[in-house]
Amino acid sequence: MKDCPNWKKSPYMQGRKIEPVHWKKGASVKDILENLGATCFEARNVFAAAKLFQHMIEGGDTIWLGVAGAGPVGGMGGYIIDLIEAGFIDVICSTGAQVYHDAHFAYDLPVVQGKAKVDDNAMDADGTTRIYDINIRMEETLIRQDELFQQFAKTLKPAQRSTADYNHEWGNYILKNAPHPEKSWVAAAAKCGVPIFLDSESNHSIGMNNADLYADDINVDPSPSLSLLEGSSIVYGNPQLGFFEWGGGGPKNWIQTLAPMINQIGGVEFEGADRGIQITTANERDGGLSGCTFSEAVTWGKYKDATQGLIQVWGEYSIIAPLLVGYVLENCKERKHKRIIDHKADFLKKFLDARKKAKYGDKK
């Protein structure tokens, strides 16, 4: 075969040279991820996501965590605690279900590993319910948790509150009353000043318990409008942004809708987030939100640039998120907590003033 040195000049041959990688005995998370980055397919994406997460942290981004799916009730809440305590997460949007289930651990309510293939009729007769391979008792876990939420809700003073306010008060309640508050990521968020917004005020057991109280003329319902305004104001007041999304669904949509809330609805000039990481098994082909690309989101004003700072990893986050968490915990210095919960009112005023000026000028 005739030697053809011109291949070196090809614009398609300027990438890193591929060499066979080998396992390193005693490998650190850094070693493992660097090996992944030296190979191909989703492995390279995982390493790219780890490096981007590191860049978010070391570059001073205000980092939002999106929590969808049942990972935390399956034991992954400890990773969220690690990120919060290290100062690597500043704001969270979660499904209400995961905030609800988080407290099982703080109150030592039964949650055990089960099996995905099981006789569900037999489980139901036994008084056990499941989330795939996670088993939970109906009476001793769920109904007891309902009682605890209603006890907490009855301590709340009448006031307009966002979901961040509600969850902050709930986290403080856990800190004061639960036997194991150190096992709760909601409590860790309250302690470190990290607001937790919900993607829905009612589509979960917290909402159902609040509705039950509402039937007895006890209204503790968080305001969806105040929640959106507060979330938008935090984004507006902290424009250097990184989003880290576990799964997709409601939390992804809620976090990413804050930029359009500012620029499309509020009329305030805002470019969108700088960086984003998503781990998802969703397929983009059905037009669903969970699988839609970051590039598509740029067209909605949710992110600044479709060509950089955006990594989507196709995979199940119970496998991938721990690698990213381990990588940054090993390689990044802890950050001072921004305690955004303490500054919500200031951020809200700044955004509302900008909105008023953009919409009405000096007329209102």
Side-chain angles (χ1 to χ4, degrees), residues 2 5 17 28 33 59 120-121 157-158 182 187-188 203 210 239 254 264 276 289 313 315 320 350:
K2 184 179 179 181
K17 186 179 180 181
S28 66
L33 285 173
D120 286 309
N121 289 332
K157 297 178 181 179
E182 74 281 358
N203 188 26
N210 288 345
W254 201 91
Q264 177 186 334
L289 186 280
V313 181
I320 295 164
K350 180 180 179 181

Side-chain angles (χ1 to χ4, degrees), residues 55-64 83-92 168 188-195 234-235 237-243 274-275 334-347:
H55 180 66
M56 289 179 185
I57 293 165
E58 294 179 345
D61 287 5
T62 295
I63 301 174
W64 285 70
L83 292 175
I84 291 170
E85 291 182 343
F88 297 166
I89 294 297
D90 303 301
V91 196
I92 296 172
H168 185 65
K191 185 177 180 180
C192 296
V194 175
I234 291 169
V235 165
N238 297 270
Q240 186 178 318
L241 294 164
F243 295 163
D274 300 88
R275 282 163 280 281
E334 293 188 356
R335 302 197 306 183
K336 181 180 179 181
H337 295 113
K338 295 186 178 183
R339 295 202 61 85
I340 284 176
I341 197 75
D342 299 335
H343 307 289
K344 280 197 304 101
D346 295 332
F347 292 137

Side-chain angles (χ1 to χ4, degrees), residues 180-240:
H180 299 289
E182 74 281 358
K183 296 182 180 181
S184 164
W185 59 269
V186 176
K191 185 177 180 180
C192 296
V194 175
I196 302 172
F197 291 94
L198 302 182
D199 67 304
S200 166
E201 284 71 22
S202 62
N203 188 26
H204 40 72
S205 293
I206 298 173
M208 290 189 285
N209 279 291
N210 288 345
D212 187 64
L213 293 173
Y214 186 87
D216 290 330
D217 297 321
I218 301 172
N219 185 1
V220 295
D221 293 348
S223 164
S225 294
L226 181 57
S227 298
L228 272 172
L229 289 171
E230 284 189 353
S232 300
S233 71
I234 291 169
V235 165
Y236 182 69
N238 297 270
Q240 186 178 318

Side-chain angles (χ1 to χ4, degrees), residues 57-350:
I57 293 165
E58 294 179 345
D61 287 5
T62 295
I63 301 174
W64 285 70
L65 175 67
V67 183
V73 71
M76 295 187 68
Y79 296 128
I80 302 176
I81 294 172
D82 294 338
L83 292 175
I84 291 170
E85 291 182 343
F88 297 166
I89 294 297
D90 303 301
V91 196
I92 296 172
C93 180
S94 171
T95 60
Q98 291 315 303
V99 170
Y100 173 85
H101 290 303
D102 164 77
H104 302 340
F105 303 102
Y107 284 94
D108 200 24
L109 306 181
V111 182
V112 302
Q113 291 181 333
K115 297 180 179 179
K117 303 297 183 183
V118 68
D119 183 341
D120 286 309
N121 289 332
M123 283 190 73
D124 183 47
D126 179 68
T128 302
T129 187
R130 73 182 178 97
I131 307 169
Y132 193 62
D133 62 352
I134 305 161
N135 290 358
I136 302 172
R137 294 290 292 176
M138 175 61 73
E139 184 72 33
E140 297 93 332
T141 309
L142 299 180
I143 292 177
R144 177 57 182 146
Q145 190 68 74
D146 295 335
E147 293 170 350
L148 288 165
F149 260 103
Q150 293 207 15
Q151 289 171 13
F152 154 70
K154 290 175 182 177
T155 69
L156 297 175
K157 297 178 181 179
Q160 186 183 51
R161 56 177 54 84
S162 65
T163 55
D165 295 325
Y166 184 97
N167 289 324
H168 185 65
E169 293 183 85
W170 171 236
N172 282 327
Y173 187 88
I174 293 173
L175 289 169
K176 293 176 182 177
N177 297 286
H180 299 289
E182 74 281 358
K183 296 182 180 181
S184 164
W185 59 269
V186 176
K191 185 177 180 180
C192 296
V194 175
I196 302 172
F197 291 94
L198 302 182
D199 67 304
S200 166
E201 284 71 22
S202 62
N203 188 26
H204 40 72
S205 293
I206 298 173
M208 290 189 285
N209 279 291
N210 288 345
D212 187 64
L213 293 173
Y214 186 87
D216 290 330
D217 297 321
I218 301 172
N219 185 1
V220 295
D221 293 348
S223 164
S225 294
L226 181 57
S227 298
L228 272 172
L229 289 171
E230 284 189 353
S232 300
S233 71
I234 291 169
V235 165
Y236 182 69
N238 297 270
Q240 186 178 318
L241 294 164
F243 295 163
F244 184 22
E245 296 160 1
W246 291 12
K252 175 185 179 182
N253 188 63
W254 201 91
I255 291 171
Q256 292 186 173
T257 205
L258 299 175
M261 178 72 195
I262 297 167
N263 55 35
Q264 177 186 334
I265 306 299
V268 178
E269 185 175 345
F270 189 79
E271 290 186 297
D274 300 88
R275 282 163 280 281
I277 301 167
Q278 183 188 12
I279 307 166
T280 182
T281 58
N283 194 315
E284 69 178 280
R285 296 178 187 178
D286 63 1
L289 186 280
S290 293
C292 83
T293 63
F294 284 142
S295 180
E296 178 183 322
V298 169
T299 70
W300 291 80
K302 298 175 181 179
Y303 294 94
K304 290 179 181 176
D305 191 337
T307 63
Q308 60 182 349
L310 303 172
I311 302 291
Q312 288 183 265
V313 181
W314 191 90
E316 204 270 290
Y317 77 71
S318 72
I319 302 167
I320 295 164
L323 293 173
L324 305 190
V325 172
Y327 186 85
V328 297
L329 289 174
E330 285 187 2
N331 293 286
C332 299
K333 293 180 180 179
E334 293 188 356
R335 302 197 306 183
K336 181 180 179 181
H337 295 113
K338 295 186 178 183
R339 295 202 61 85
I340 284 176
I341 197 75
D342 299 335
H343 307 289
K344 280 197 304 101
D346 295 332
F347 292 137
L348 183 59
K349 182 179 185 305
K350 180 180 179 181

